[in-house]
Amino acid sequence: MDDVRESIDMFGHTGTIENILIGIAYWLAVVVVILFVFYIVVKINNWRQYKKNGKLEKEDFLT
């Protein structure tokens, strides 16, 4: 019975691990958003360059 109590008591000491995982998830989300915004900006810039030079072949520039 003492082993069960010790096991249950150990679940209460996961605060630091939880904070680390939340921090990792936060920064991973920040990196994904930055990469997505960069991707959209590059696509729009490429579309503008092709349109400016008259070399636009596709109507849908996001594909």
Side-chain angles (χ1 to χ4, degrees):
M1 193 68 172
D2 289 333
D3 293 336
V4 174
R5 282 187 185 164
E6 288 177 16
S7 296
I8 292 173
D9 199 27
M10 287 186 66
F11 285 127
H13 302 294
T14 58
T16 55
I17 295 173
E18 182 180 346
N19 289 338
I20 290 171
L21 291 176
I22 289 173
I24 290 172
Y26 171 78
W27 285 109
L28 186 62
V30 168
V31 168
V32 167
V33 167
I34 289 171
L35 288 175
F36 181 72
V37 169
F38 180 73
Y39 175 77
I40 295 296
V41 168
V42 167
K43 284 292 191 178
I44 290 172
N45 188 35
N46 286 343
W47 178 73
R48 286 180 57 229
Q49 291 296 323
Y50 285 137
K51 188 174 180 182
K52 184 172 130 180
N53 294 333
K55 298 178 184 175
L56 185 63
E57 297 174 1
K58 296 181 182 179
E59 287 184 21
D60 188 10
F61 61 92
L62 292 176
T63 58

Coordinates of all heavy atoms in Angstrom, one line a residue:
M1 N 0.8 -1.2 0.0 CA 0.0 0.0 0.0 C 0.9 1.3 0.0 O 0.5 2.3 -0.6 CB -0.9 0.0 1.2 CG -2.0 1.0 1.2 SD -3.1 0.5 -0.1 CE -4.4 1.7 0.2
D2 N 2.0 1.2 0.6 CA 2.9 2.4 0.6 C 3.4 2.7 -0.8 O 3.7 3.8 -1.1 CB 4.1 2.1 1.6 CG 3.6 2.1 3.1 OD1 2.6 2.8 3.4 OD2 4.3 1.5 3.9
D3 N 3.7 1.6 -1.6 CA 4.1 1.9 -2.9 C 3.1 2.6 -3.7 O 3.5 3.5 -4.5 CB 4.5 0.5 -3.6 CG 5.7 -0.2 -3.0 OD1 6.5 0.5 -2.4 OD2 5.8 -1.4 -3.1
V4 N 1.9 2.3 -3.5 CA 0.8 3.0 -4.3 C 0.7 4.5 -3.9 O 0.6 5.4 -4.7 CB -0.6 2.3 -4.0 CG1 -1.7 3.1 -4.7 CG2 -0.5 0.9 -4.6
R5 N 0.9 4.7 -2.6 CA 0.9 6.1 -2.1 C 2.0 6.9 -2.6 O 1.9 8.1 -3.0 CB 0.9 6.1 -0.5 CG -0.4 5.8 0.1 CD -0.4 6.0 1.6 NE -1.7 5.6 2.1 CZ -1.8 5.3 3.4 NH1 -0.8 5.5 4.3 NH2 -3.0 4.9 3.9
E6 N 3.2 6.3 -2.7 CA 4.4 6.9 -3.2 C 4.2 7.2 -4.7 O 4.6 8.3 -5.2 CB 5.6 6.1 -3.0 CG 6.1 6.1 -1.5 CD 7.3 5.2 -1.3 OE1 7.9 4.8 -2.3 OE2 7.5 4.8 -0.1
S7 N 3.6 6.3 -5.4 CA 3.4 6.5 -6.8 C 2.4 7.7 -7.1 O 2.6 8.5 -8.0 CB 2.9 5.2 -7.5 OG 3.8 4.2 -7.4
I8 N 1.4 7.7 -6.3 CA 0.4 8.8 -6.4 C 1.0 10.1 -6.0 O 0.8 11.1 -6.6 CB -0.9 8.5 -5.6 CG1 -1.6 7.3 -6.2 CG2 -1.8 9.7 -5.5 CD1 -2.8 6.8 -5.4
D9 N 1.8 10.1 -5.0 CA 2.5 11.3 -4.5 C 3.5 11.9 -5.6 O 3.6 13.1 -5.7 CB 3.2 11.0 -3.2 CG 3.5 12.3 -2.5 OD1 2.8 13.3 -2.6 OD2 4.5 12.3 -1.7
M10 N 4.1 11.0 -6.4 CA 5.0 11.4 -7.4 C 4.3 12.2 -8.5 O 4.9 13.0 -9.2 CB 5.8 10.2 -7.9 CG 6.9 9.7 -6.9 SD 7.9 8.5 -7.6 CE 8.8 9.4 -8.9
F11 N 3.0 11.9 -8.8 CA 2.3 12.6 -9.8 C 2.1 14.0 -9.5 O 1.9 14.9 -10.3 CB 1.0 11.9 -10.1 CG 1.1 10.6 -10.8 CD1 0.5 9.5 -10.3 CD2 1.7 10.5 -12.0 CE1 0.6 8.3 -11.0 CE2 1.8 9.3 -12.7 CZ 1.2 8.2 -12.2
G12 N 2.2 14.4 -8.2 CA 2.0 15.8 -7.8 C 3.2 16.6 -8.0 O 3.2 17.8 -7.9
H13 N 4.4 16.0 -8.4 CA 5.6 16.8 -8.5 C 6.0 16.9 -10.0 O 7.2 16.9 -10.4 CB 6.7 16.1 -7.8 CG 6.5 15.9 -6.3 ND1 6.4 17.0 -5.5 CD2 6.2 14.8 -5.6 CE1 6.1 16.6 -4.2 NE2 6.0 15.2 -4.3
T14 N 5.0 17.1 -10.9 CA 5.3 17.2 -12.3 C 5.2 18.6 -12.8 O 5.1 18.9 -14.0 CB 4.4 16.3 -13.1 OG1 3.0 16.7 -12.8 CG2 4.5 14.8 -12.8
G15 N 5.2 19.6 -11.9 CA 5.0 21.0 -12.3 C 6.1 21.5 -13.2 O 5.9 22.2 -14.2
T16 N 7.4 21.2 -12.9 CA 8.5 21.7 -13.7 C 8.5 21.0 -15.1 O 8.7 21.7 -16.1 CB 9.8 21.4 -13.0 OG1 10.0 20.0 -12.8 CG2 9.9 22.2 -11.8
I17 N 8.2 19.8 -15.2 CA 8.1 19.1 -16.5 C 7.0 19.7 -17.3 O 7.1 19.9 -18.5 CB 7.9 17.6 -16.3 CG1 9.2 17.0 -15.6 CG2 7.7 16.9 -17.6 CD1 9.0 15.5 -15.3
E18 N 5.9 19.9 -16.6 CA 4.7 20.5 -17.3 C 5.1 21.9 -17.9 O 4.7 22.3 -19.0 CB 3.5 20.6 -16.4 CG 2.3 21.2 -17.0 CD 1.1 21.2 -16.0 OE1 1.2 20.6 -14.9 OE2 0.2 21.9 -16.3
N19 N 5.7 22.7 -17.1 CA 6.1 24.1 -17.5 C 7.1 24.0 -18.7 O 7.0 24.8 -19.6 CB 6.8 24.8 -16.4 CG 5.7 25.3 -15.3 OD1 4.6 25.3 -15.6 ND2 6.2 25.5 -14.1
I20 N 8.0 23.0 -18.7 CA 9.0 22.9 -19.8 C 8.3 22.5 -21.0 O 8.5 23.0 -22.1 CB 10.1 21.8 -19.4 CG1 11.0 22.4 -18.3 CG2 10.9 21.4 -20.6 CD1 12.0 21.4 -17.7
L21 N 7.3 21.6 -21.0 CA 6.6 21.1 -22.1 C 5.7 22.2 -22.7 O 5.6 22.4 -23.9 CB 5.7 19.9 -21.8 CG 6.5 18.6 -21.5 CD1 5.6 17.5 -21.1 CD2 7.3 18.2 -22.7
I22 N 5.1 23.0 -21.8 CA 4.3 24.2 -22.3 C 5.2 25.2 -23.0 O 4.8 25.8 -24.0 CB 3.5 24.8 -21.1 CG1 2.4 23.8 -20.7 CG2 2.9 26.1 -21.5 CD1 1.7 24.2 -19.4
G23 N 6.4 25.4 -22.4 CA 7.3 26.4 -23.1 C 7.7 25.9 -24.4 O 7.8 26.7 -25.4
I24 N 8.0 24.6 -24.5 CA 8.4 24.0 -25.8 C 7.3 24.1 -26.8 O 7.5 24.5 -28.0 CB 8.9 22.6 -25.7 CG1 10.2 22.5 -24.9 CG2 9.0 21.9 -27.0 CD1 10.6 21.1 -24.5
A25 N 6.1 23.8 -26.4 CA 4.9 23.9 -27.3 C 4.7 25.4 -27.8 O 4.4 25.6 -28.9 CB 3.7 23.4 -26.6
Y26 N 4.9 26.3 -26.9 CA 4.7 27.7 -27.2 C 5.7 28.2 -28.2 O 5.4 28.8 -29.2 CB 4.9 28.6 -25.9 CG 4.9 30.1 -26.2 CD1 3.8 30.8 -26.4 CD2 6.1 30.8 -26.2 CE1 3.8 32.1 -26.7 CE2 6.2 32.1 -26.4 CZ 5.0 32.8 -26.7 OH 5.1 34.1 -26.9
W27 N 7.0 27.9 -28.0 CA 8.0 28.3 -29.0 C 7.9 27.6 -30.3 O 8.2 28.1 -31.4 CB 9.4 28.2 -28.4 CG 9.7 29.3 -27.4 CD1 9.7 29.1 -26.0 CD2 9.8 30.6 -27.7 NE1 9.9 30.4 -25.5 CE2 10.0 31.3 -26.5 CE3 9.8 31.4 -28.9 CZ2 10.1 32.7 -26.4 CZ3 9.9 32.8 -28.8 CH2 10.1 33.4 -27.6
L28 N 7.5 26.3 -30.3 CA 7.2 25.6 -31.5 C 6.1 26.2 -32.3 O 6.2 26.4 -33.5 CB 6.9 24.1 -31.2 CG 6.8 23.2 -32.4 CD1 8.1 23.1 -33.2 CD2 6.3 21.8 -32.0
A29 N 5.1 26.7 -31.6 CA 4.0 27.4 -32.3 C 4.4 28.7 -32.9 O 4.1 29.1 -34.0 CB 2.8 27.6 -31.4
V30 N 5.3 29.4 -32.2 CA 5.8 30.7 -32.6 C 6.6 30.5 -33.9 O 6.5 31.2 -34.9 CB 6.7 31.4 -31.6 CG1 7.5 32.5 -32.1 CG2 5.8 31.9 -30.4
V31 N 7.5 29.5 -33.9 CA 8.3 29.2 -35.1 C 7.4 28.8 -36.3 O 7.7 29.2 -37.4 CB 9.3 28.1 -34.8 CG1 10.0 27.5 -36.0 CG2 10.4 28.6 -33.8
V32 N 6.4 28.0 -36.1 CA 5.5 27.6 -37.2 C 4.8 28.8 -37.8 O 4.7 28.9 -39.0 CB 4.5 26.5 -36.7 CG1 3.4 26.3 -37.7 CG2 5.2 25.2 -36.4
V33 N 4.3 29.7 -36.9 CA 3.7 30.9 -37.4 C 4.6 31.8 -38.2 O 4.3 32.3 -39.3 CB 3.0 31.7 -36.2 CG1 2.6 33.1 -36.7 CG2 1.9 30.9 -35.7
I34 N 5.8 31.9 -37.7 CA 6.8 32.8 -38.4 C 7.2 32.1 -39.8 O 7.2 32.8 -40.8 CB 8.1 32.9 -37.6 CG1 7.8 33.9 -36.4 CG2 9.3 33.5 -38.4 CD1 9.0 33.9 -35.4
L35 N 7.3 30.8 -39.8 CA 7.6 30.2 -41.1 C 6.4 30.3 -42.1 O 6.6 30.5 -43.3 CB 8.0 28.7 -40.9 CG 9.3 28.4 -40.3 CD1 9.5 26.9 -40.0 CD2 10.4 28.9 -41.1
F36 N 5.2 30.2 -41.6 CA 4.0 30.3 -42.4 C 3.9 31.7 -43.0 O 3.6 31.9 -44.2 CB 2.8 30.0 -41.6 CG 1.5 30.0 -42.4 CD1 1.2 29.1 -43.4 CD2 0.6 31.1 -42.2 CE1 0.1 29.2 -44.2 CE2 -0.6 31.2 -43.0 CZ -0.8 30.2 -44.0
V37 N 4.2 32.7 -42.2 CA 4.1 34.1 -42.7 C 5.2 34.4 -43.7 O 5.0 35.0 -44.7 CB 4.2 35.1 -41.5 CG1 4.5 36.5 -42.0 CG2 3.0 35.0 -40.6
F38 N 6.4 33.8 -43.5 CA 7.5 34.0 -44.4 C 7.1 33.3 -45.7 O 7.4 33.8 -46.8 CB 8.8 33.3 -43.8 CG 9.9 33.4 -44.7 CD1 10.6 34.6 -44.9 CD2 10.4 32.3 -45.4 CE1 11.7 34.7 -45.8 CE2 11.5 32.3 -46.2 CZ 12.2 33.5 -46.4
Y39 N 6.5 32.1 -45.7 CA 6.1 31.4 -46.9 C 5.1 32.2 -47.7 O 5.2 32.4 -48.9 CB 5.5 30.1 -46.5 CG 4.9 29.3 -47.6 CD1 5.7 28.6 -48.5 CD2 3.5 29.2 -47.8 CE1 5.2 27.8 -49.5 CE2 3.0 28.5 -48.8 CZ 3.8 27.8 -49.7 OH 3.3 27.1 -50.7
I40 N 4.1 32.8 -47.0 CA 3.1 33.6 -47.7 C 3.7 34.9 -48.3 O 3.4 35.2 -49.5 CB 2.0 34.0 -46.7 CG1 1.2 32.8 -46.3 CG2 1.0 35.0 -47.4 CD1 0.5 32.0 -47.4
V41 N 4.6 35.5 -47.6 CA 5.3 36.7 -48.1 C 6.1 36.4 -49.4 O 6.1 37.1 -50.4 CB 6.2 37.4 -47.0 CG1 7.1 38.4 -47.6 CG2 5.3 38.0 -46.0
V42 N 6.8 35.3 -49.3 CA 7.6 34.9 -50.5 C 6.8 34.5 -51.7 O 7.1 34.9 -52.8 CB 8.5 33.7 -50.1 CG1 9.2 33.0 -51.4 CG2 9.6 34.1 -49.2
K43 N 5.6 33.9 -51.5 CA 4.7 33.6 -52.5 C 4.2 34.8 -53.2 O 4.1 34.9 -54.4 CB 3.6 32.7 -52.1 CG 4.0 31.2 -51.8 CD 4.3 30.6 -53.2 CE 4.4 29.1 -53.0 NZ 4.7 28.5 -54.3
I44 N 3.8 35.8 -52.3 CA 3.2 37.0 -52.8 C 4.3 37.8 -53.6 O 4.0 38.4 -54.7 CB 2.6 37.9 -51.7 CG1 1.3 37.2 -51.2 CG2 2.3 39.3 -52.2 CD1 0.7 37.8 -50.0
N45 N 5.5 37.8 -53.1 CA 6.6 38.5 -53.7 C 6.9 37.9 -55.1 O 7.1 38.6 -56.1 CB 7.8 38.5 -52.9 CG 8.9 39.4 -53.4 OD1 8.6 40.4 -54.0 ND2 10.2 39.0 -53.3
N46 N 6.9 36.6 -55.2 CA 7.2 35.9 -56.4 C 6.1 36.2 -57.4 O 6.3 36.4 -58.6 CB 7.3 34.4 -56.2 CG 8.6 34.0 -55.6 OD1 9.5 34.8 -55.6 ND2 8.6 32.8 -55.0
W47 N 4.8 36.2 -57.0 CA 3.7 36.5 -57.9 C 3.8 38.0 -58.4 O 3.6 38.2 -59.6 CB 2.4 36.4 -57.1 CG 1.2 36.7 -57.9 CD1 0.7 36.0 -58.9 CD2 0.4 37.9 -57.7 NE1 -0.4 36.7 -59.4 CE2 -0.6 37.8 -58.7 CE3 0.5 39.0 -56.9 CZ2 -1.6 38.8 -58.8 CZ3 -0.5 40.0 -57.0 CH2 -1.5 39.9 -58.0
R48 N 4.2 38.9 -57.5 CA 4.4 40.3 -58.0 C 5.5 40.4 -59.0 O 5.4 41.2 -60.0 CB 4.7 41.2 -56.8 CG 3.5 41.4 -55.9 CD 3.8 42.3 -54.7 NE 4.3 43.6 -55.1 CZ 5.4 44.2 -54.6 NH1 6.1 43.6 -53.6 NH2 5.9 45.3 -55.1
Q49 N 6.6 39.7 -58.8 CA 7.7 39.7 -59.7 C 7.3 39.2 -61.1 O 7.7 39.7 -62.1 CB 8.9 39.0 -59.2 CG 9.6 39.6 -58.0 CD 10.2 41.0 -58.3 OE1 10.7 41.2 -59.4 NE2 10.1 41.9 -57.4
Y50 N 6.6 38.0 -61.1 CA 6.2 37.4 -62.3 C 5.2 38.4 -63.0 O 5.2 38.5 -64.3 CB 5.6 36.1 -62.1 CG 6.6 35.0 -61.8 CD1 6.3 34.1 -60.8 CD2 7.7 34.9 -62.5 CE1 7.2 33.1 -60.5 CE2 8.7 33.9 -62.3 CZ 8.4 33.0 -61.2 OH 9.3 32.0 -61.0
K51 N 4.3 39.0 -62.3 CA 3.3 39.9 -62.9 C 4.0 41.1 -63.5 O 3.6 41.6 -64.5 CB 2.3 40.3 -61.8 CG 1.1 41.0 -62.4 CD 0.1 41.3 -61.3 CE -1.1 42.1 -61.9 NZ -2.1 42.4 -60.9
K52 N 5.0 41.6 -62.7 CA 5.7 42.8 -63.2 C 6.5 42.5 -64.5 O 6.6 43.4 -65.4 CB 6.7 43.3 -62.1 CG 7.4 44.5 -62.4 CD 8.2 44.9 -61.1 CE 9.6 45.2 -61.5 NZ 10.4 45.6 -60.3
N53 N 7.1 41.3 -64.6 CA 7.9 41.0 -65.8 C 7.0 40.4 -66.9 O 7.5 40.1 -67.9 CB 8.9 40.0 -65.4 CG 10.0 40.5 -64.4 OD1 10.2 41.8 -64.4 ND2 10.6 39.7 -63.6
G54 N 5.7 40.2 -66.7 CA 4.9 39.7 -67.7 C 5.0 38.2 -67.9 O 4.7 37.7 -69.0
K55 N 5.5 37.5 -67.0 CA 5.8 36.1 -67.1 C 4.8 35.2 -66.3 O 5.0 34.1 -66.0 CB 7.2 35.7 -66.6 CG 8.3 36.3 -67.4 CD 9.6 36.0 -66.9 CE 10.7 36.7 -67.6 NZ 12.0 36.4 -67.0
L56 N 3.7 35.8 -65.9 CA 2.7 35.1 -65.1 C 2.0 34.1 -66.0 O 1.3 34.4 -67.0 CB 1.7 36.1 -64.5 CG 0.6 35.5 -63.5 CD1 1.4 34.9 -62.3 CD2 -0.3 36.6 -63.1
E57 N 2.1 32.8 -65.6 CA 1.5 31.7 -66.4 C 0.3 31.1 -65.7 O -0.6 30.6 -66.3 CB 2.5 30.6 -66.7 CG 3.7 31.1 -67.5 CD 4.8 30.1 -67.6 OE1 4.6 29.0 -67.1 OE2 5.8 30.3 -68.3
K58 N 0.3 31.2 -64.4 CA -0.8 30.6 -63.6 C -1.7 31.7 -63.0 O -1.1 32.7 -62.6 CB -0.3 29.7 -62.5 CG 0.5 28.5 -62.9 CD 1.0 27.8 -61.7 CE 1.8 26.6 -62.1 NZ 2.3 25.8 -60.9
E59 N -3.0 31.5 -63.0 CA -3.8 32.4 -62.3 C -3.7 32.3 -60.8 O -3.8 33.2 -60.0 CB -5.3 32.3 -62.7 CG -5.5 32.7 -64.1 CD -7.0 32.6 -64.5 OE1 -7.8 32.6 -63.6 OE2 -7.3 32.6 -65.7
D60 N -3.6 31.0 -60.3 CA -3.6 30.8 -58.9 C -2.1 30.7 -58.5 O -1.4 29.7 -58.7 CB -4.3 29.5 -58.5 CG -4.4 29.2 -57.0 OD1 -4.1 30.2 -56.3 OD2 -4.8 28.2 -56.7
F61 N -1.6 31.7 -57.9 CA -0.2 31.8 -57.5 C 0.2 31.1 -56.2 O 1.3 31.0 -55.9 CB 0.3 33.3 -57.5 CG -0.4 34.1 -56.4 CD1 0.1 34.2 -55.1 CD2 -1.6 34.7 -56.7 CE1 -0.5 34.9 -54.2 CE2 -2.2 35.5 -55.7 CZ -1.7 35.6 -54.5
L62 N -0.8 30.6 -55.5 CA -0.5 29.9 -54.2 C -0.3 28.4 -54.4 O 0.0 27.7 -53.5 CB -1.6 30.2 -53.2 CG -1.7 31.6 -52.7 CD1 -2.9 31.8 -51.8 CD2 -0.4 32.0 -52.0
T63 N -0.5 27.9 -55.6 CA -0.3 26.5 -55.9 C 1.1 26.2 -56.4 O 1.8 27.0 -56.9 CB -1.4 25.9 -56.8 OG1 -1.4 26.6 -58.0 CG2 -2.7 26.0 -56.1

